[in-house]
Amino acid sequence: MRTDLKGTGVSTVEDPPTNAVVQRLSMLDRFLPVWIGAAMVLGLLLGRFVPGLNSALDSLHVTSGVSLPIFIGLLVMMYPVLAKVRYDRLDTVTSDKRLLVSSLVLNWLLGPALMFALAWTFLPDLPEYRTGLIIVGLARCIAMVIIWNDLACGDREAAAVLVALNSVFQVLAFAGLGWFYLQVLPGWLGLQTAGLDISPWQIAQSVLIFLGIPLVAGYLSRRIGERTKGRDWYESRFLPRIGPVALYGLLFTIVVLFALQGDAITSQPLDVARIALPLLAYFAIMWAGSFAVGKGIGLSYERSATLSFTAAGNNFELAIAVAIATFGVTSGQALAGVVGPLIEVPVLVALVYVSLAARRWFAVQK
């Protein structure tokens, strides 16, 4: 089973023990949870105590609803990982019907339904937060999951395909699913309804900007780099140099996201705790269930890890953009969107280590 050690460009035939992988990671990779925690604290403090910072960050946009600082952070974060993808091997992923069908079912049938159920179970008396969580559940992963998948030694090519698939479905299905879960289904169940009024073009615009630009840049980098310098130079010299940039982009993005609602998060701790409970349940159930599905249908460790992280992760950038554009930057829906990464980031970082430790269950599939 091949493992590409982050930042080194080294591939091995056998999977080393988890502690061996951790020991060979760079200082930045090895203490990633510490740096992420520090970035969260810094963002919260900046948002809470720097006058006018929230408004200044929110006023900078690439286009309507798309924050310029978040766009920069996402581009820096996603480009190096997408530049690592072996695009000439994508056909080996698209031919794996078990992986594709499982991903579609988990992401677009079970994921939104689970978040809907958890939101109504934990927040029956808080409609704004409940609506925000349902929007998070509808925004399937297209961004940071690439980082978690890479840290867990998942299948990069499979991650690229599943992220692209989620992006297409997001454009086509988000508005319709929002209408169904926020208006139709609660009405059928006799529950209080809440509306979501956003055009499919707004969703498509966010997806194209947040994913399309770094995807094209990554593809062109590999194509041009291999053509001019060769694959050996590209993978042994170029990729190790740009690898750490992805994590710098991740940390910057986290600081900006938490600065945007630092005051709301720190001034409403009980509300944040109530929002956190269904999120914790969601990430745990989706990740563990998806990992078990991958193992159960005979996927390799790499593709099981990719399946689980792409199913458990959410595109909170899009969810926050939708919540702000629809309900306003100070709304409860926007706060619920921001609490999403507050819980998702540390939980999925922890699940990276759980995933690495679980590789031994796949030893017979080498």
Side-chain angles (χ1 to χ4, degrees):
M1 189 181 290
R2 180 187 64 81
T3 301
D4 185 27
L5 300 180
K6 286 184 59 58
T8 66
V10 177
S11 293
T12 61
V13 176
E14 297 290 328
D15 277 335
T18 301
N19 60 345
V21 174
V22 173
Q23 290 300 317
R24 296 176 68 176
L25 292 175
S26 68
M27 182 70 71
L28 180 63
D29 291 338
R30 192 183 307 174
F31 294 100
L32 181 60
V34 176
W35 312 138
I36 288 177
M40 289 178 176
V41 172
L42 176 60
L44 290 172
L45 293 176
L46 289 173
R48 175 73 172 176
F49 297 110
V50 177
L53 178 63
N54 186 301
S55 299
L57 290 174
D58 187 56
S59 66
L60 299 172
H61 290 94
V62 177
T63 184
S64 177
V66 180
S67 167
L68 176 60
I70 291 178
F71 164 72
I72 293 172
L74 286 173
L75 179 61
V76 173
M77 177 184 78
M78 295 174 66
Y79 163 70
V81 178
L82 290 170
K84 295 178 182 180
V85 173
R86 289 280 300 274
Y87 293 94
D88 57 342
R89 296 181 56 196
L90 294 184
D91 60 330
T92 65
V93 180
T94 56
S95 62
D96 190 340
K97 298 300 188 294
R98 295 172 303 171
L99 176 65
L100 294 181
V101 172
S102 298
S103 179
L104 287 174
V105 171
L106 289 166
N107 273 287
W108 296 102
L109 293 180
L110 297 183
L114 176 62
M115 187 68 89
F116 175 87
L118 291 172
W120 275 98
T121 300
F122 284 89
L123 303 171
D125 57 329
L126 297 172
E128 288 192 0
Y129 298 153
R130 186 177 64 240
T131 298
L133 283 186
I134 293 173
I135 293 173
V136 170
L138 297 175
R140 309 312 299 167
C141 67
I142 65 168
M144 285 190 181
V145 68
I146 296 175
I147 296 288
W148 315 136
N149 179 74
D150 210 41
L151 289 171
C153 299
D155 189 317
R156 286 181 186 139
E157 288 71 36
V161 169
L162 296 184
V163 163
L165 194 63
N166 277 341
S167 301
V168 172
F169 269 76
Q170 205 134 246
V171 172
L172 298 175
F174 189 99
L177 286 173
W179 171 74
F180 176 77
Y181 279 104
L182 293 173
Q183 291 184 322
V184 176
L185 186 57
W188 288 352
L189 299 176
L191 303 172
Q192 178 185 356
T193 61
L196 177 65
D197 181 20
I198 187 166
S199 72
W201 169 240
Q202 287 178 283
I203 306 301
Q205 192 177 54
S206 295
V207 171
L208 289 172
I209 290 174
F210 284 135
L211 177 67
I213 293 176
L215 180 61
V216 170
Y219 173 78
L220 291 177
S221 292
R222 178 170 282 277
R223 189 171 181 83
I224 295 171
E226 289 187 354
R227 180 172 294 179
T228 57
K229 294 284 190 175
R231 177 165 292 179
D232 181 67
W233 173 88
Y234 184 83
E235 296 194 343
S236 64
R237 301 284 297 278
F238 180 71
L239 291 182
R241 288 181 181 178
I242 67 170
V245 174
L247 297 182
Y248 297 140
L250 170 63
L251 297 176
F252 173 78
T253 302
I254 290 171
V255 171
V256 173
L257 282 171
F258 285 94
L260 281 170
Q261 288 240 13
D263 183 69
I265 291 174
T266 55
S267 63
Q268 303 176 60
L270 293 180
D271 287 351
V272 170
R274 288 198 60 183
I275 296 169
L277 288 175
L279 285 167
L280 283 170
Y282 173 84
F283 294 131
I285 293 171
M286 284 299 294
W287 188 91
S290 302
F291 198 83
V293 167
K295 172 67 173 174
I297 64 177
L299 296 179
S300 65
Y301 164 76
E302 289 88 353
R303 293 195 172 179
S304 294
T306 297
L307 180 66
S308 61
F309 281 103
T310 53
N314 290 88
N315 182 9
F316 55 79
E317 304 87 4
L318 179 61
I320 292 169
V322 169
I324 290 174
T326 308
F327 302 103
V329 69
T330 60
S331 65
Q333 290 88 343
L335 176 60
V338 172
V339 174
L342 177 67
I343 305 303
E344 177 175 350
V345 170
V347 168
L348 291 190
V349 168
L351 289 174
V352 166
Y353 292 93
V354 175
S355 184
L356 289 171
R359 285 181 305 172
R360 64 181 183 272
W361 297 345
F362 295 79
V364 296
Q365 298 184 28
K366 291 182 180 180

